[in-house]
Amino acid sequence: MTSTGRCALCDGALPPATSEQRRSYCSNACRQRAYRRRATVTAPTPTTRQNLRVLSNLPAARDTFVGRQQELSKLDQLLRRHRLVTLVGSAGAGKTRLALEAAGRLRRGRTDRVLLVELGEVTTTRDVVPALADALGVAAETDEPLRDTVLETLVNMKVVVVLDNCEHLLDACAELTDVLLNRCPGVRVLATSREALWITGEVSFPVEGLPVPSTDRDLVTTAAPRSEAVKLFVDRARERKPDFRLSVDNTAAVALLCARLEGMPLAIELAARWVRLLPVEDICDRLDEPLELLTLGCRKSPRQSSLREAIDWSYQLLQPDEQFALRRLSVFDGGFDLAAATEVCSSERSAEPVLDVLSRLQAKSLVTAVPGTTRFRQLETIRLHAKEKLVAAGELDVAYEALARWFTDLSDVLITAPLSMSADVQHKLDNHVDSLLGTVEWAADRADERLLLLTSALADCAARRGRLGQARVMLRDALRRPSTRDDYRCVALNHAARFAAEQGDHDEAVEFSAEVSRLVGTIGQPALVMSSRSTLAAVQQSSGEWEASDKNNTECLRVAELLGEPLARATALVDLARTALSLGKHARAEENVMSALPLSRASGVPARIASALNTRGAVALVQGDLDEATHAFQEALRMDGINPLTAPDALEGLAVVALTRGQAERALRLEATGRAMRRSVGVVPNPFWAEKVAGAMRTARLMLPVARAEAASTPLSATETEAFIQDEVWLDRTEAAFDSLDDHERRVIALLATGLTNQQIANRLNVSLRTVASRLHRLRDKLGLRSREDIAAWGAERAIG
């Protein structure tokens, strides 16, 4: 039998039909296409809550989604404006969960369907299109390729396709996405990957760790409960231990744990699973080996059954030169710059320029550029994994040898120009101090002859951070070891003697300075000889041997001028000015410090400049020029901030100025602030300055009632000190509180100042005795006073009534 009918879809001739079968389409392919077209054209229906939901194959959530509200809002905006958004981040950053949450919040009108295409278990490029077809629910037809079937199905649909875990199939995913966006105008793609797809129209959305709280002891209690990282830890911990709560005892430990894990969701979730067995403090203690600790995972997710496996997945996808560079960069603890990376990564095994390899590692979320700097860093978990690979490849000593060589070249200035270290060298060493510590430990394990020089550089860094005690311990330990380099030993002895003098340990300072004086003569290095004389002069200053100190500093100045070292000359001039001041030679002191100031400013080193300014302020103070002294001390504070090595001199100087102007309370508070800073690092002033400040404070206490003097002898807080330094704002607590008193408080103070008892005040105000006591308690806190008598005296002095 023949057919005279035409196909309802393609208008082609229909094949012969039997009496039992009535044909409308010429083939099964046309029948499927017609079905798909009918499925994409729906009749309008009244809007209800039910039909606002988008059809999707997203898995139902099994736990709560914590935080990321700003990211979700930003993603929603991006998906409105762009057709391809790629979430890019390192292993364990939470890209998949964020993508699922963002896709799950989409509503009908913006899209009709959400398709999740899970590529984590897809191993070959040819299986990418079948994975999308499977999610879409279409099968291959005999007369057309599967990709064409998928495109034909999607061409008239409004769909958001979530391509999850694209990094190992980057080219195939990029090609498929490009075709989808070109051929299907209603399709949008939300991809997750450790590297962008790099196609036209793509918007890369970086996914980083959750915000972590401050671990500062004074802030952690209030900051931790608001932190998204802490909230995630608590939520996941309750899955294992339902009664888990943040408490006074564990809040600091939870905050520290989240900070050490850098807010990475996978790491936090895995750590939280240990709370059933260990207190949070013990989990923190075990984070020295995080890859060993964070091994609990999910049986249904073998690719990320542990943090190690999640990171190893990324490592295996790298090119050989990228793997090589990542391993070598693992010796940098705390970040690195391009120069340091080039030194460590340059090898015949890595033909590519280091900057090019770095850029590729950054694109793959394995290296991060530090915002606002030219530095890079690795997440700690990635660095430790790479270091395991470094050890396994037998490259540990080679990498550390390259790093030690770079640090030795930087530190050589401690031999050739020890009093003239530039700001640039200081900055490089300070920026790599954690890596320098690792190099020192490596050198110590191998009895490397460079240990003393590298330890001296590390001690310098520690001292600049106010950790003089730590610096002295490191130097003592290094000096006990045998050494073959007398020049290195002289450098270490110089540092050890100077730091001991600054902390008032005169016996140790004399011992070390005597040894370096005996040793340095055999070396024949003029700069080292000059440095040893400068150190000896500092030791003598600390014990009040002014004439001997003056003689040694004069010799230092002579050698510095012969060597043509302006920074060394500035150091000698500042020391000579202090010595002359102590000897009562004020004109000579002024001449020296005024010569030193421009040289110190040219160094660009804030501590050098502040030290010269403090000396200028002391000279002006002794000469009675209070305005010049004030200007110098204030500039020193603005130059170097709250540096406990330079700020105390400036604060104490301003305290003496305040006393001279009759401001006894201000003087006591500033001196107490400087004294607290000295105590925090163990630094003591030289005898001349100590006696001058102490004498001024004795006078200040005599000018005030005992209670007021005691109340004033409390340090400013860090906030108050910063305000005073930056804006010259004097935050006198009682004066600041004066304007904030309400009428009830003023009335209580006025009655108290007349000598009434609490009961009499209660009767006058027609309130209870408890109310009066409560108001007095609040007033003590607000005014910073210690007793009702202090409040009465304060009110009487200000005639409050």
Side-chain angles (χ1 to χ4, degrees), residues 90-96 121 165 167 194 266 269-270 273 294-311 313-314:
S90 60
K95 303 180 295 295
T96 296
E121 306 305 319
N165 295 312
E167 54 271 356
R194 296 174 199 180
L266 177 61
E269 291 184 354
L270 294 175
R273 298 185 182 193
L294 307 178
T295 55
L296 293 177
C298 177
R299 295 174 183 169
K300 297 298 183 181
S301 301
R303 190 173 57 82
Q304 292 193 355
S305 62
S306 73
L307 189 60
R308 185 195 304 280
E309 292 180 9
I311 297 170
W313 168 268
S314 293

PDB file of all heavy atoms in Angstrom, residues 90-96 121 165 167 194 266 269-270 273 294-311 313-314:
ATOM      1  N   SER A  90      40.193  27.163  44.499  1.00  0.00           N
ATOM      2  CA  SER A  90      41.052  26.017  44.771  1.00  0.00           C
ATOM      3  C   SER A  90      40.243  24.860  45.341  1.00  0.00           C
ATOM      4  O   SER A  90      39.044  24.987  45.617  1.00  0.00           O
ATOM      5  CB  SER A  90      42.153  26.415  45.764  1.00  0.00           C
ATOM      6  OG  SER A  90      41.575  26.850  46.974  1.00  0.00           O
ATOM      7  N   ALA A  91      40.908  23.741  45.528  1.00  0.00           N
ATOM      8  CA  ALA A  91      40.256  22.559  46.086  1.00  0.00           C
ATOM      9  C   ALA A  91      39.690  22.869  47.460  1.00  0.00           C
ATOM     10  O   ALA A  91      40.366  23.453  48.305  1.00  0.00           O
ATOM     11  CB  ALA A  91      41.274  21.412  46.189  1.00  0.00           C
ATOM     12  N   GLY A  92      38.449  22.486  47.667  1.00  0.00           N
ATOM     13  CA  GLY A  92      37.834  22.659  48.979  1.00  0.00           C
ATOM     14  C   GLY A  92      37.274  24.034  49.259  1.00  0.00           C
ATOM     15  O   GLY A  92      36.869  24.339  50.379  1.00  0.00           O
ATOM     16  N   ALA A  93      37.241  24.918  48.233  1.00  0.00           N
ATOM     17  CA  ALA A  93      36.759  26.281  48.459  1.00  0.00           C
ATOM     18  C   ALA A  93      35.233  26.370  48.516  1.00  0.00           C
ATOM     19  O   ALA A  93      34.692  27.406  48.903  1.00  0.00           O
ATOM     20  CB  ALA A  93      37.281  27.220  47.369  1.00  0.00           C
ATOM     21  N   GLY A  94      34.535  25.315  48.089  1.00  0.00           N
ATOM     22  CA  GLY A  94      33.073  25.327  48.137  1.00  0.00           C
ATOM     23  C   GLY A  94      32.417  25.802  46.864  1.00  0.00           C
ATOM     24  O   GLY A  94      31.284  26.311  46.899  1.00  0.00           O
ATOM     25  N   LYS A  95      33.068  25.607  45.735  1.00  0.00           N
ATOM     26  CA  LYS A  95      32.518  26.076  44.464  1.00  0.00           C
ATOM     27  C   LYS A  95      31.225  25.346  44.111  1.00  0.00           C
ATOM     28  O   LYS A  95      30.236  25.973  43.720  1.00  0.00           O
ATOM     29  CB  LYS A  95      33.546  25.867  43.336  1.00  0.00           C
ATOM     30  CG  LYS A  95      34.880  26.541  43.550  1.00  0.00           C
ATOM     31  CD  LYS A  95      35.826  26.299  42.405  1.00  0.00           C
ATOM     32  CE  LYS A  95      36.217  24.843  42.259  1.00  0.00           C
ATOM     33  NZ  LYS A  95      36.996  24.324  43.410  1.00  0.00           N
ATOM     34  N   THR A  96      31.242  24.013  44.223  1.00  0.00           N
ATOM     35  CA  THR A  96      30.058  23.227  43.846  1.00  0.00           C
ATOM     36  C   THR A  96      28.865  23.595  44.704  1.00  0.00           C
ATOM     37  O   THR A  96      27.756  23.820  44.187  1.00  0.00           O
ATOM     38  CB  THR A  96      30.366  21.728  43.976  1.00  0.00           C
ATOM     39  OG1 THR A  96      31.383  21.377  43.042  1.00  0.00           O
ATOM     40  CG2 THR A  96      29.123  20.898  43.702  1.00  0.00           C
ATOM     41  N   GLU A 121      33.244  12.527  37.817  1.00  0.00           N
ATOM     42  CA  GLU A 121      33.585  11.137  37.527  1.00  0.00           C
ATOM     43  C   GLU A 121      33.770  10.874  36.029  1.00  0.00           C
ATOM     44  O   GLU A 121      34.033   9.740  35.621  1.00  0.00           O
ATOM     45  CB  GLU A 121      32.480  10.215  38.070  1.00  0.00           C
ATOM     46  CG  GLU A 121      32.173  10.418  39.545  1.00  0.00           C
ATOM     47  CD  GLU A 121      33.417  10.291  40.418  1.00  0.00           C
ATOM     48  OE1 GLU A 121      34.215   9.377  40.134  1.00  0.00           O
ATOM     49  OE2 GLU A 121      33.596  11.092  41.343  1.00  0.00           O
ATOM     50  N   ASN A 165      32.768  20.917  38.015  1.00  0.00           N
ATOM     51  CA  ASN A 165      34.103  20.297  37.983  1.00  0.00           C
ATOM     52  C   ASN A 165      34.622  20.132  36.555  1.00  0.00           C
ATOM     53  O   ASN A 165      34.779  19.026  36.048  1.00  0.00           O
ATOM     54  CB  ASN A 165      34.103  18.935  38.692  1.00  0.00           C
ATOM     55  CG  ASN A 165      33.814  19.052  40.170  1.00  0.00           C
ATOM     56  OD1 ASN A 165      34.415  19.879  40.850  1.00  0.00           O
ATOM     57  ND2 ASN A 165      32.892  18.252  40.657  1.00  0.00           N
ATOM     58  N   GLU A 167      37.657  21.278  35.493  1.00  0.00           N
ATOM     59  CA  GLU A 167      39.088  21.504  35.353  1.00  0.00           C
ATOM     60  C   GLU A 167      39.844  20.410  34.604  1.00  0.00           C
ATOM     61  O   GLU A 167      40.817  20.687  33.900  1.00  0.00           O
ATOM     62  CB  GLU A 167      39.739  21.701  36.733  1.00  0.00           C
ATOM     63  CG  GLU A 167      39.473  20.596  37.734  1.00  0.00           C
ATOM     64  CD  GLU A 167      38.214  20.824  38.538  1.00  0.00           C
ATOM     65  OE1 GLU A 167      37.579  21.881  38.385  1.00  0.00           O
ATOM     66  OE2 GLU A 167      37.856  19.924  39.305  1.00  0.00           O
ATOM     67  N   ARG A 194      38.623  24.848  38.647  1.00  0.00           N
ATOM     68  CA  ARG A 194      39.787  25.436  39.294  1.00  0.00           C
ATOM     69  C   ARG A 194      40.547  26.334  38.331  1.00  0.00           C
ATOM     70  O   ARG A 194      41.560  26.921  38.683  1.00  0.00           O
ATOM     71  CB  ARG A 194      40.685  24.333  39.867  1.00  0.00           C
ATOM     72  CG  ARG A 194      39.945  23.579  40.961  1.00  0.00           C
ATOM     73  CD  ARG A 194      40.681  22.390  41.505  1.00  0.00           C
ATOM     74  NE  ARG A 194      39.719  21.517  42.193  1.00  0.00           N
ATOM     75  CZ  ARG A 194      40.020  20.380  42.780  1.00  0.00           C
ATOM     76  NH1 ARG A 194      41.268  19.953  42.778  1.00  0.00           N
ATOM     77  NH2 ARG A 194      39.095  19.663  43.376  1.00  0.00           N
ATOM     78  N   LEU A 266      35.725  22.956  52.893  1.00  0.00           N
ATOM     79  CA  LEU A 266      35.966  21.516  52.991  1.00  0.00           C
ATOM     80  C   LEU A 266      36.832  21.197  54.198  1.00  0.00           C
ATOM     81  O   LEU A 266      36.544  20.254  54.951  1.00  0.00           O
ATOM     82  CB  LEU A 266      36.632  21.002  51.709  1.00  0.00           C
ATOM     83  CG  LEU A 266      37.011  19.511  51.727  1.00  0.00           C
ATOM     84  CD1 LEU A 266      35.775  18.640  51.912  1.00  0.00           C
ATOM     85  CD2 LEU A 266      37.748  19.116  50.451  1.00  0.00           C
ATOM     86  N   GLU A 269      34.773  21.612  57.390  1.00  0.00           N
ATOM     87  CA  GLU A 269      33.803  20.526  57.567  1.00  0.00           C
ATOM     88  C   GLU A 269      34.492  19.242  58.018  1.00  0.00           C
ATOM     89  O   GLU A 269      33.987  18.533  58.890  1.00  0.00           O
ATOM     90  CB  GLU A 269      33.042  20.297  56.268  1.00  0.00           C
ATOM     91  CG  GLU A 269      32.098  21.439  55.910  1.00  0.00           C
ATOM     92  CD  GLU A 269      31.287  21.157  54.661  1.00  0.00           C
ATOM     93  OE1 GLU A 269      31.538  20.121  54.015  1.00  0.00           O
ATOM     94  OE2 GLU A 269      30.400  21.961  54.336  1.00  0.00           O
ATOM     95  N   LEU A 270      35.638  18.948  57.435  1.00  0.00           N
ATOM     96  CA  LEU A 270      36.348  17.743  57.829  1.00  0.00           C
ATOM     97  C   LEU A 270      36.879  17.853  59.256  1.00  0.00           C
ATOM     98  O   LEU A 270      36.857  16.875  60.018  1.00  0.00           O
ATOM     99  CB  LEU A 270      37.493  17.467  56.854  1.00  0.00           C
ATOM    100  CG  LEU A 270      37.078  17.109  55.425  1.00  0.00           C
ATOM    101  CD1 LEU A 270      38.301  16.986  54.533  1.00  0.00           C
ATOM    102  CD2 LEU A 270      36.269  15.820  55.395  1.00  0.00           C
ATOM    103  N   ARG A 273      34.261  17.214  62.009  1.00  0.00           N
ATOM    104  CA  ARG A 273      33.838  15.832  62.262  1.00  0.00           C
ATOM    105  C   ARG A 273      34.613  15.173  63.398  1.00  0.00           C
ATOM    106  O   ARG A 273      34.245  14.095  63.851  1.00  0.00           O
ATOM    107  CB  ARG A 273      33.990  15.022  60.968  1.00  0.00           C
ATOM    108  CG  ARG A 273      33.107  15.552  59.854  1.00  0.00           C
ATOM    109  CD  ARG A 273      33.152  14.695  58.619  1.00  0.00           C
ATOM    110  NE  ARG A 273      32.321  15.288  57.555  1.00  0.00           N
ATOM    111  CZ  ARG A 273      31.978  14.645  56.451  1.00  0.00           C
ATOM    112  NH1 ARG A 273      32.377  13.407  56.242  1.00  0.00           N
ATOM    113  NH2 ARG A 273      31.236  15.246  55.537  1.00  0.00           N
ATOM    114  N   LEU A 294      42.752  15.958  58.316  1.00  0.00           N
ATOM    115  CA  LEU A 294      41.531  16.179  57.554  1.00  0.00           C
ATOM    116  C   LEU A 294      41.326  15.081  56.515  1.00  0.00           C
ATOM    117  O   LEU A 294      41.367  15.304  55.317  1.00  0.00           O
ATOM    118  CB  LEU A 294      41.574  17.561  56.895  1.00  0.00           C
ATOM    119  CG  LEU A 294      41.866  18.710  57.868  1.00  0.00           C
ATOM    120  CD1 LEU A 294      41.935  20.022  57.138  1.00  0.00           C
ATOM    121  CD2 LEU A 294      40.829  18.770  58.983  1.00  0.00           C
ATOM    122  N   THR A 295      41.143  13.860  57.010  1.00  0.00           N
ATOM    123  CA  THR A 295      41.010  12.715  56.113  1.00  0.00           C
ATOM    124  C   THR A 295      39.628  12.102  56.141  1.00  0.00           C
ATOM    125  O   THR A 295      39.346  11.189  55.375  1.00  0.00           O
ATOM    126  CB  THR A 295      42.026  11.623  56.480  1.00  0.00           C
ATOM    127  OG1 THR A 295      41.859  11.276  57.865  1.00  0.00           O
ATOM    128  CG2 THR A 295      43.441  12.118  56.262  1.00  0.00           C
ATOM    129  N   LEU A 296      38.767  12.573  57.028  1.00  0.00           N
ATOM    130  CA  LEU A 296      37.418  12.026  57.057  1.00  0.00           C
ATOM    131  C   LEU A 296      36.625  12.598  55.895  1.00  0.00           C
ATOM    132  O   LEU A 296      36.603  13.802  55.685  1.00  0.00           O
ATOM    133  CB  LEU A 296      36.725  12.390  58.372  1.00  0.00           C
ATOM    134  CG  LEU A 296      37.313  11.743  59.636  1.00  0.00           C
ATOM    135  CD1 LEU A 296      36.570  12.261  60.843  1.00  0.00           C
ATOM    136  CD2 LEU A 296      37.230  10.242  59.567  1.00  0.00           C
ATOM    137  N   GLY A 297      35.991  11.768  55.133  1.00  0.00           N
ATOM    138  CA  GLY A 297      35.232  12.262  53.997  1.00  0.00           C
ATOM    139  C   GLY A 297      33.928  11.525  53.824  1.00  0.00           C
ATOM    140  O   GLY A 297      33.392  10.945  54.755  1.00  0.00           O
ATOM    141  N   CYS A 298      33.415  11.544  52.620  1.00  0.00           N
ATOM    142  CA  CYS A 298      32.129  10.924  52.316  1.00  0.00           C
ATOM    143  C   CYS A 298      32.348   9.780  51.339  1.00  0.00           C
ATOM    144  O   CYS A 298      33.027   9.932  50.333  1.00  0.00           O
ATOM    145  CB  CYS A 298      31.188  11.978  51.715  1.00  0.00           C
ATOM    146  SG  CYS A 298      29.597  11.311  51.212  1.00  0.00           S
ATOM    147  N   ARG A 299      31.762   8.646  51.621  1.00  0.00           N
ATOM    148  CA  ARG A 299      31.947   7.481  50.759  1.00  0.00           C
ATOM    149  C   ARG A 299      31.409   7.727  49.357  1.00  0.00           C
ATOM    150  O   ARG A 299      31.843   7.117  48.397  1.00  0.00           O
ATOM    151  CB  ARG A 299      31.238   6.272  51.370  1.00  0.00           C
ATOM    152  CG  ARG A 299      31.851   5.833  52.695  1.00  0.00           C
ATOM    153  CD  ARG A 299      31.025   4.742  53.318  1.00  0.00           C
ATOM    154  NE  ARG A 299      31.560   4.355  54.614  1.00  0.00           N
ATOM    155  CZ  ARG A 299      30.910   3.568  55.464  1.00  0.00           C
ATOM    156  NH1 ARG A 299      29.713   3.110  55.168  1.00  0.00           N
ATOM    157  NH2 ARG A 299      31.465   3.247  56.612  1.00  0.00           N
ATOM    158  N   LYS A 300      30.423   8.602  49.236  1.00  0.00           N
ATOM    159  CA  LYS A 300      29.812   8.862  47.928  1.00  0.00           C
ATOM    160  C   LYS A 300      30.618   9.840  47.092  1.00  0.00           C
ATOM    161  O   LYS A 300      30.274  10.134  45.977  1.00  0.00           O
ATOM    162  CB  LYS A 300      28.385   9.408  48.128  1.00  0.00           C
ATOM    163  CG  LYS A 300      27.445   8.417  48.807  1.00  0.00           C
ATOM    164  CD  LYS A 300      27.253   7.164  47.984  1.00  0.00           C
ATOM    165  CE  LYS A 300      26.256   6.212  48.627  1.00  0.00           C
ATOM    166  NZ  LYS A 300      26.084   4.981  47.838  1.00  0.00           N
ATOM    167  N   SER A 301      31.678  10.411  47.660  1.00  0.00           N
ATOM    168  CA  SER A 301      32.486  11.383  46.915  1.00  0.00           C
ATOM    169  C   SER A 301      33.944  10.962  46.965  1.00  0.00           C
ATOM    170  O   SER A 301      34.754  11.575  47.644  1.00  0.00           O
ATOM    171  CB  SER A 301      32.322  12.790  47.509  1.00  0.00           C
ATOM    172  OG  SER A 301      30.985  13.185  47.468  1.00  0.00           O
ATOM    173  N   PRO A 302      34.329   9.897  46.264  1.00  0.00           N
ATOM    174  CA  PRO A 302      35.694   9.400  46.360  1.00  0.00           C
ATOM    175  C   PRO A 302      36.749  10.403  45.925  1.00  0.00           C
ATOM    176  O   PRO A 302      37.873  10.377  46.382  1.00  0.00           O
ATOM    177  CB  PRO A 302      35.682   8.160  45.454  1.00  0.00           C
ATOM    178  CG  PRO A 302      34.525   8.358  44.519  1.00  0.00           C
ATOM    179  CD  PRO A 302      33.504   9.111  45.311  1.00  0.00           C
ATOM    180  N   ARG A 303      36.392  11.322  45.003  1.00  0.00           N
ATOM    181  CA  ARG A 303      37.391  12.279  44.534  1.00  0.00           C
ATOM    182  C   ARG A 303      37.781  13.263  45.629  1.00  0.00           C
ATOM    183  O   ARG A 303      38.857  13.828  45.606  1.00  0.00           O
ATOM    184  CB  ARG A 303      36.836  13.038  43.324  1.00  0.00           C
ATOM    185  CG  ARG A 303      37.878  13.883  42.629  1.00  0.00           C
ATOM    186  CD  ARG A 303      37.318  14.464  41.357  1.00  0.00           C
ATOM    187  NE  ARG A 303      36.130  15.241  41.596  1.00  0.00           N
ATOM    188  CZ  ARG A 303      36.152  16.516  42.007  1.00  0.00           C
ATOM    189  NH1 ARG A 303      37.293  17.109  42.234  1.00  0.00           N
ATOM    190  NH2 ARG A 303      35.038  17.174  42.191  1.00  0.00           N
ATOM    191  N   GLN A 304      36.885  13.463  46.614  1.00  0.00           N
ATOM    192  CA  GLN A 304      37.199  14.364  47.705  1.00  0.00           C
ATOM    193  C   GLN A 304      36.938  13.673  49.038  1.00  0.00           C
ATOM    194  O   GLN A 304      36.369  14.237  49.956  1.00  0.00           O
ATOM    195  CB  GLN A 304      36.380  15.658  47.609  1.00  0.00           C
ATOM    196  CG  GLN A 304      36.775  16.516  46.438  1.00  0.00           C
ATOM    197  CD  GLN A 304      36.201  17.917  46.515  1.00  0.00           C
ATOM    198  OE1 GLN A 304      35.426  18.234  47.404  1.00  0.00           O
ATOM    199  NE2 GLN A 304      36.577  18.766  45.579  1.00  0.00           N
ATOM    200  N   SER A 305      37.354  12.413  49.138  1.00  0.00           N
ATOM    201  CA  SER A 305      37.161  11.698  50.384  1.00  0.00           C
ATOM    202  C   SER A 305      38.114  12.210  51.452  1.00  0.00           C
ATOM    203  O   SER A 305      37.974  11.877  52.620  1.00  0.00           O
ATOM    204  CB  SER A 305      37.370  10.193  50.183  1.00  0.00           C
ATOM    205  OG  SER A 305      38.697   9.939  49.760  1.00  0.00           O
ATOM    206  N   SER A 306      39.098  13.000  51.074  1.00  0.00           N
ATOM    207  CA  SER A 306      39.969  13.660  52.044  1.00  0.00           C
ATOM    208  C   SER A 306      40.497  14.927  51.397  1.00  0.00           C
ATOM    209  O   SER A 306      40.448  15.097  50.171  1.00  0.00           O
ATOM    210  CB  SER A 306      41.133  12.758  52.451  1.00  0.00           C
ATOM    211  OG  SER A 306      42.066  12.653  51.399  1.00  0.00           O
ATOM    212  N   LEU A 307      41.006  15.801  52.229  1.00  0.00           N
ATOM    213  CA  LEU A 307      41.577  17.046  51.694  1.00  0.00           C
ATOM    214  C   LEU A 307      42.791  16.741  50.825  1.00  0.00           C
ATOM    215  O   LEU A 307      43.016  17.381  49.796  1.00  0.00           O
ATOM    216  CB  LEU A 307      41.963  17.961  52.852  1.00  0.00           C
ATOM    217  CG  LEU A 307      42.366  19.385  52.485  1.00  0.00           C
ATOM    218  CD1 LEU A 307      41.233  20.096  51.776  1.00  0.00           C
ATOM    219  CD2 LEU A 307      42.797  20.156  53.717  1.00  0.00           C
ATOM    220  N   ARG A 308      43.559  15.741  51.223  1.00  0.00           N
ATOM    221  CA  ARG A 308      44.722  15.365  50.431  1.00  0.00           C
ATOM    222  C   ARG A 308      44.322  14.957  49.014  1.00  0.00           C
ATOM    223  O   ARG A 308      44.929  15.354  48.026  1.00  0.00           O
ATOM    224  CB  ARG A 308      45.467  14.227  51.117  1.00  0.00           C
ATOM    225  CG  ARG A 308      46.762  13.855  50.406  1.00  0.00           C
ATOM    226  CD  ARG A 308      47.270  12.511  50.899  1.00  0.00           C
ATOM    227  NE  ARG A 308      47.444  12.504  52.333  1.00  0.00           N
ATOM    228  CZ  ARG A 308      48.487  13.020  52.966  1.00  0.00           C
ATOM    229  NH1 ARG A 308      49.453  13.582  52.272  1.00  0.00           N
ATOM    230  NH2 ARG A 308      48.576  12.966  54.271  1.00  0.00           N
ATOM    231  N   GLU A 309      43.273  14.157  48.898  1.00  0.00           N
ATOM    232  CA  GLU A 309      42.848  13.688  47.583  1.00  0.00           C
ATOM    233  C   GLU A 309      42.280  14.823  46.740  1.00  0.00           C
ATOM    234  O   GLU A 309      42.474  14.862  45.525  1.00  0.00           O
ATOM    235  CB  GLU A 309      41.822  12.568  47.734  1.00  0.00           C
ATOM    236  CG  GLU A 309      42.417  11.295  48.318  1.00  0.00           C
ATOM    237  CD  GLU A 309      41.392  10.192  48.463  1.00  0.00           C
ATOM    238  OE1 GLU A 309      40.273  10.363  47.946  1.00  0.00           O
ATOM    239  OE2 GLU A 309      41.700   9.185  49.092  1.00  0.00           O
ATOM    240  N   ALA A 310      41.585  15.767  47.398  1.00  0.00           N
ATOM    241  CA  ALA A 310      41.042  16.902  46.658  1.00  0.00           C
ATOM    242  C   ALA A 310      42.166  17.744  46.052  1.00  0.00           C
ATOM    243  O   ALA A 310      42.090  18.196  44.908  1.00  0.00           O
ATOM    244  CB  ALA A 310      40.184  17.765  47.586  1.00  0.00           C
ATOM    245  N   ILE A 311      43.242  17.949  46.830  1.00  0.00           N
ATOM    246  CA  ILE A 311      44.362  18.739  46.322  1.00  0.00           C
ATOM    247  C   ILE A 311      45.168  17.937  45.298  1.00  0.00           C
ATOM    248  O   ILE A 311      45.632  18.475  44.284  1.00  0.00           O
ATOM    249  CB  ILE A 311      45.261  19.186  47.495  1.00  0.00           C
ATOM    250  CG1 ILE A 311      44.467  20.097  48.444  1.00  0.00           C
ATOM    251  CG2 ILE A 311      46.494  19.925  46.995  1.00  0.00           C
ATOM    252  CD1 ILE A 311      45.173  20.407  49.738  1.00  0.00           C
ATOM    253  N   TRP A 313      44.102  15.842  43.257  1.00  0.00           N
ATOM    254  CA  TRP A 313      43.354  15.896  41.989  1.00  0.00           C
ATOM    255  C   TRP A 313      43.855  17.067  41.140  1.00  0.00           C
ATOM    256  O   TRP A 313      44.105  16.928  39.946  1.00  0.00           O
ATOM    257  CB  TRP A 313      41.874  16.027  42.320  1.00  0.00           C
ATOM    258  CG  TRP A 313      40.971  16.379  41.180  1.00  0.00           C
ATOM    259  CD1 TRP A 313      40.582  17.625  40.794  1.00  0.00           C
ATOM    260  CD2 TRP A 313      40.314  15.470  40.286  1.00  0.00           C
ATOM    261  NE1 TRP A 313      39.721  17.569  39.729  1.00  0.00           N
ATOM    262  CE2 TRP A 313      39.539  16.249  39.391  1.00  0.00           C
ATOM    263  CE3 TRP A 313      40.302  14.093  40.156  1.00  0.00           C
ATOM    264  CZ2 TRP A 313      38.766  15.692  38.388  1.00  0.00           C
ATOM    265  CZ3 TRP A 313      39.526  13.523  39.156  1.00  0.00           C
ATOM    266  CH2 TRP A 313      38.774  14.319  38.284  1.00  0.00           C
ATOM    267  N   SER A 314      44.013  18.228  41.765  1.00  0.00           N
ATOM    268  CA  SER A 314      44.507  19.405  41.040  1.00  0.00           C
ATOM    269  C   SER A 314      45.949  19.207  40.596  1.00  0.00           C
ATOM    270  O   SER A 314      46.329  19.571  39.471  1.00  0.00           O
ATOM    271  CB  SER A 314      44.424  20.648  41.927  1.00  0.00           C
ATOM    272  OG  SER A 314      43.086  20.988  42.195  1.00  0.00           O
TER     273      SER A 314
END
